[in-house]
Structure formats: C-alpha cells, structure tokens
C-alpha cells in the first residue's frame, strides 16, 4: 500500500503533468536521468534540474545519503508553502515551530559538506529533468516535468558556503519519503530504486519505471552482486552495508579489527577509515606494495601513503597495485577495488593511496567516498533493502547507450 505522501504525489502528478518538449503522458516515460559532472575544485558531483515557473536551470550537488532536496529558492509563481499538520509536513517529519500566527512547516536543513544547519521552509513546486529515450532519436533531448508537487526545503543563501560555484543547493537521494529518489519513484509508479554511475567527467543517476525493456531491466541485473542495506538508528537516511573483513592481495586483515559497517557517500571525496583500522590497513598495504617492488615516496596531502608511478605499468583496471577486497556480508560477496579506484595520480611521477585516516569518531568503520565509487555501477534497490554492484565499469556495460547523445 502506498504511503500517504506517495498517494498525494501520484494524485497531483496525474492532475498536473506535462512534457516541455512534447505532449507525452508521464506514465509512458521510460524514466528520468540526471547528468552528473565532477567539479574539479571541490571534487563534488553536480547535476542540473529545471525548477519553478518559469523553469530555471538549477545546479545541485548530488548527496547520496541526503534526506531531501534543498535549495536557495528563486521567485516562482508556481511554488506553494507547506503548512503544519498537512500530510506533506507530517511525512517530512521536520522540527517545526510556530512563528506568530503563520504555522508554516519549518524543516531542519543541513549543508552536509560544511555541517552547517538551519531551518528552511518546506515548499512544493514543479521540477523537470531529462527523460530517458529509446535511443532512436540520437540528436534529440527532452526535458520532462517530474511533477508539480515535488517537495523541497528553501534554505538561506549562507547554506551555499562550501559547495561548487553556481550550485544552488543539494539533491538528496537518501532513504526517506521526501528524498528526490523516493519522490521520482512515486511519480514513475515504480518501486523505490535508482542507478548511479559516477565519473571524473560524465556520470549519471538513472530512474526507470520498469515497464519497458531496457538496459536497466535486462543487462544490469545479470552482472550484479547484491548485499543487504542495513539500518543505523542515528542516520536512517544513509546507505550502509555490512563489512566483515578486508583483504589486500588476498591477505585478510584480522576480523576483530575490521568488522563493522560501511557508509557510501558522494560528498566525501576519498574513502575515510576509522583510525585504528587505518593504521593496520596502511601497514598491510605497504607490505603488499613492497612485495610488488613499488617505491614509497613522501606523502602528498591529504594522502598518508604515496608511491612512485614512474615504472608502474598501467592495466585495464588502472595502475598495477595491490588489489583491495572488501568482504561484505559473507566470504562470497566481495567489493573489489583495483588501481583505478584505489590510487590517485597527484603528479606525473607520484600516485597516492586514496584512503584517508577518518579519525576515531566515524559512525561507521569506513565511508566509501566518491573517487572509489567512480566507474562502478551501483543499483540502489531501496524497496528490497539491497545494494547491487558490479566489478565492470558501468560504461563498459553500455549503460549509456540509451542516452549517450546527451552526455
């Protein structure tokens, strides 16, 4: 049974749904796609939506675990303020307060990069993104309204500190009813799921309704390994998986030291590891590197372990370096990290291990950052509470074949 919020979204989208480029009923769309670019100065991943009336292109930082969409709002004739005790306000579960006689729905809004929080007004308005086509019109590009009633928080301008220049907010894809991923799934009448492929250049976040034959339905699941998504009370909106052990070149670190949980994040540039695990991890990694005749060099901030890349022959999966395996819920389920995701080329002659000391206060044993997620196909099947991943690059699987003309 659909939640009250999802029911409201579906009713509203049925009454007010349109395509900017062509008159096409929304429920006939294959899906929607966010094109993602990496900002070179902040290492954040940025996408673009069209928002409001008139529709205005709006750049947003992709926040995988973010609970909802927030932005510094511009004038829009179609925006509507949400009030307390409404279905939308109750579903958002905000921290609310009364300002005189104006009982608007105030929602706790956080820039999760700077960790600066404030209260923002809960609104709804038109949002539009690119639609997925069948690839037959290779020169076409179509922008389609997601719906009139997309919920978001309107945050003050100081909330934009620390995000890329020109970005107006953050696109939350977390495990909440109010996240953009959840609202799009409701609009598409599909289960709560989406695909991400990050890249140093062109990446995507893809939503499909599952009603049509496509790469999403046919090619991808066959190559996937799945692991359960687990819940963490203090951060239920995050995507977290189990970690049983870590192997480096097949050598397992002690499970007594490692066993815990992994969080996936698009707002952390490089993977961070809890300090006690990091000390053992880097020690074992250095031993494996020395056995491969790699040469240690002085570290380059922010990295703690760097090597010469002068005599390192590249492979199809990046530099020839020790392979890292994250053993998840069982020995049969491993997330393998090759050189293209473990090593960061910081100069012509130096490469550094892209794993950082995260200190003693991490809420999980490890936070896998954006660099380690790049070129890895990830299927967030939230409805089934599982994460799918594949060792093949998502673009090797031709995931982009349906929309490569817009990348």
């Amino acid at each position: 049974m659909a939640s009250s919020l999802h029911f409201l979204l579906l009713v509203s989208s049925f009454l007010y749904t349109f395509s900017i480029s062509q008159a096409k009923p929304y429920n006939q769309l294959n899906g929607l796609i966010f094109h993602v670019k990496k900002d070179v100065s902040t290492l954040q991943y940025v996408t673009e939506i069209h928002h409001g009336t008139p529709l205005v292109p709006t750049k947003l930082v992709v926040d995988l675990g973010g609970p909802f969409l927030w932005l510094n709002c511009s004038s829009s004739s179609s925006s509507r303020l949400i009030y307390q005790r409404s279905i939308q306000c109750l579903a958002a579960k905000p921290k609310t307060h009364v300002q005189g006689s104006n009982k608007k729905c105030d929602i706790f809004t956080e820039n999760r990069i700077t960790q600066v929080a404030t209260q923002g007004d809960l609104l709804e308005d038109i949002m539009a993104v690119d639609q997925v086509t069948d690839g037959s019109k290779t020169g076409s590009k179509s922008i389609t309204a997601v719906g009139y009633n997309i919920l978001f928080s309107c945050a003050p301008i100081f909330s934009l500190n620390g995000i890329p220049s020109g970005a107006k907010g953050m696109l939350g894809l977390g495990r909440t009813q109010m996240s953009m991923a959840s609202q799009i799934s409701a609009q598409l009448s599909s289960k709560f799921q989406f695909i991400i492929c990050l890249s140093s250049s062109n990446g995507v976040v893809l939503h499909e309704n599952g009603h049509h034959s496509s790469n999403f339905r046919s090619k991808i699941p066959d190559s996937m390994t799945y692991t359960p998504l687990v819940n963490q009370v203090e951060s239920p909106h995050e995507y977290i998986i189990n970690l049983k052990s870590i192997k480096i070149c097949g050598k397992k670190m002690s499970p007594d030291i490692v066993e815990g949980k992994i969080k996936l994040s698009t707002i952390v540039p490089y993977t961070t590891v809890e300090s006690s695990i990091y000390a053992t991890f880097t020690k074992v990694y250095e031993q494996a590197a020395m056995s491969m005749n790699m040469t240690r060099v002085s570290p380059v901030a922010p990295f703690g372990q760097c090597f010469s890349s002068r005599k390192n022959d590249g492979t199809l999966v990046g530099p020839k370096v020790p392979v890292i395996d994250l053993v998840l819920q069982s020995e049969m389920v491993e997330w393998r990290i090759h050189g293209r995701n473990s090593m960061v080329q910081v100069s012509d002659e130096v490469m550094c291990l892209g794993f950082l000391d995260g200190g003693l206060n991490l809420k999980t044993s490890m936070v896998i950052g954006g660099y380690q997620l790049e070129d890895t196909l990830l299927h967030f099947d939230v409805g089934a509470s599982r994460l799918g991943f594949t060792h093949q690059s998502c673009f090797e699987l031709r995931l982009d074949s349906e929309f490569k003309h817009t990348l």
Side-chain angles (χ1 to χ4, degrees):
M1 181 178 292
S3 68
S4 56
L5 174 62
H6 283 187
F7 176 76
L8 185 64
L9 290 170
L10 290 170
V11 170
S12 232
S13 67
F14 176 77
L15 295 173
Y16 196 104
T17 302
F18 65 92
S19 170
I20 297 165
S21 60
Q22 61 187 69
K24 185 175 184 179
Y26 189 80
N27 58 11
Q28 291 181 16
L29 291 175
N30 290 349
L32 298 170
I33 177 174
F34 295 87
H35 303 284
V36 181
K37 300 280 188 179
K38 188 173 185 178
D39 179 73
V40 295
S41 61
T42 63
L43 305 181
Q44 301 301 320
Y45 299 91
V46 179
T47 189
E48 183 177 89
I49 65 170
H50 291 72
H51 157 248
T53 302
L55 283 166
V56 176
T58 305
K59 291 183 178 179
L60 301 168
V61 174
V62 177
D63 182 4
L64 177 62
F68 51 82
L69 163 65
W70 67 262
L71 52 85
N72 179 241
C73 302
S74 57
S75 176
S76 169
S77 63
S78 55
S79 66
R80 187 172 76 88
L81 193 65
I82 302 299
Y83 292 91
Q84 290 188 45
R85 300 183 181 178
S86 64
I87 294 175
Q88 300 99 316
C89 189
L90 292 173
K93 299 179 180 178
K95 295 181 179 179
T96 59
H97 68 281
V98 177
Q99 297 179 338
S101 60
N102 182 16
K103 298 181 180 181
K104 61 184 179 180
C105 185
D106 294 328
I107 187 166
F108 185 76
T109 302
E110 182 183 13
N111 178 329
R112 292 181 357 115
I113 297 172
T114 61
Q115 298 183 337
V116 172
T118 184
Q119 284 186 315
D121 298 333
L122 184 64
L123 290 86
E124 65 179 11
D125 204 346
I126 296 170
M127 302 286 173
V129 296
D130 288 349
Q131 72 178 52
V132 175
T133 68
D134 60 7
S136 60
K137 298 179 180 179
T138 56
S140 66
K141 185 174 182 178
S142 182
I143 299 173
T144 301
V146 175
Y148 174 76
N149 58 321
I150 295 299
L151 295 169
F152 63 98
S153 172
C154 189
I157 194 167
F158 69 78
S159 299
L160 303 181
N161 293 337
I163 68 175
S165 175
K168 297 298 183 182
M170 301 184 76
L171 184 78
L173 301 175
R175 300 170 71 183
T176 69
Q177 290 186 34
M178 196 177 143
S179 79
M180 194 64 168
S182 177
Q183 293 191 68
I184 288 178
S185 295
Q187 297 283 346
L188 289 171
S189 301
S190 72
K191 67 177 183 177
F192 188 173
Q193 66 172 352
F194 59 97
I195 277 175
I196 280 185
C197 176
L198 298 179
S199 168
S200 59
S201 54
N202 297 317
V204 296
V205 178
L206 173 65
H207 296 262
E208 285 201 346
N209 58 20
H211 300 160
H212 300 269
S213 177
S214 67
N215 281 334
F216 189 97
R217 297 283 292 169
S218 59
K219 292 183 181 179
I220 294 170
D222 292 340
S223 63
M224 287 287 182
T225 298
Y226 283 91
T227 192
L229 291 169
V230 298
N231 296 318
Q232 189 159 284
V233 174
E234 60 269 33
S235 50
H237 48 84
E238 300 278 11
Y239 292 98
I240 297 172
I241 56 178
N242 285 315
L243 173 66
K244 292 297 183 183
S245 63
I246 300 174
K247 295 178 182 177
I248 299 176
C249 284
K251 181 179 180 181
K252 183 186 294 187
M253 293 171 55
S254 171
D256 295 335
I257 297 174
V258 174
E259 189 166 358
K261 291 181 173 61
I262 297 173
K263 181 174 79 173
L264 281 67
S265 174
T266 56
I267 59 173
V268 174
Y270 302 105
T271 293
T272 57
V273 185
E274 192 273 332
S275 285
S276 61
I277 300 174
Y278 181 79
T280 304
F281 173 77
T282 50
K283 181 180 179 180
V284 175
Y285 192 91
E286 183 176 10
Q287 291 171 348
M290 295 302 102
S291 69
M292 296 175 65
N293 296 319
M294 293 172 60
T295 303
R296 182 84 183 265
V297 299
S298 298
V300 178
F303 307 106
Q305 199 171 80
C306 298
F307 302 88
S308 171
S309 59
R310 290 181 60 188
K311 298 181 180 180
N312 191 291
D313 296 327
T315 69
L316 292 176
V317 289
K320 188 177 181 181
V321 298
V323 172
I324 301 167
D325 288 311
L326 305 179
V327 182
L328 305 180
Q329 83 267 19
S330 74
E331 293 290 333
M332 300 296 293
V333 182
E334 294 182 347
W335 183 321
R336 175 158 289 185
I337 301 175
H338 292 284
R340 71 182 174 195
N341 290 107
S342 64
M343 281 293 169
V344 181
Q345 195 74 37
V346 298
S347 71
D348 291 341
E349 298 185 348
V350 176
M351 58 185 180
C352 298
L353 182 63
F355 288 70
L356 308 181
D357 188 339
L360 296 172
N361 296 319
L362 283 183
K363 295 180 180 179
T364 55
S365 300
M366 179 182 295
V367 179
I368 297 184
Y371 189 81
Q372 281 68 40
L373 297 178
E374 288 181 8
D375 298 318
T376 302
L377 185 65
L378 299 170
H379 176 204
F380 291 87
D381 189 353
V382 189
S385 194
R386 63 178 187 164
L387 169 70
F389 60 95
T390 176
H391 298 316
Q392 288 180 274
S393 164
C394 48
F395 293 112
E396 290 175 7
L397 291 170
R398 306 305 298 164
L399 174 62
D400 60 336
S401 62
E402 292 184 346
F403 43 80
K404 61 186 178 182
H405 56 279
T406 61
L407 286 177

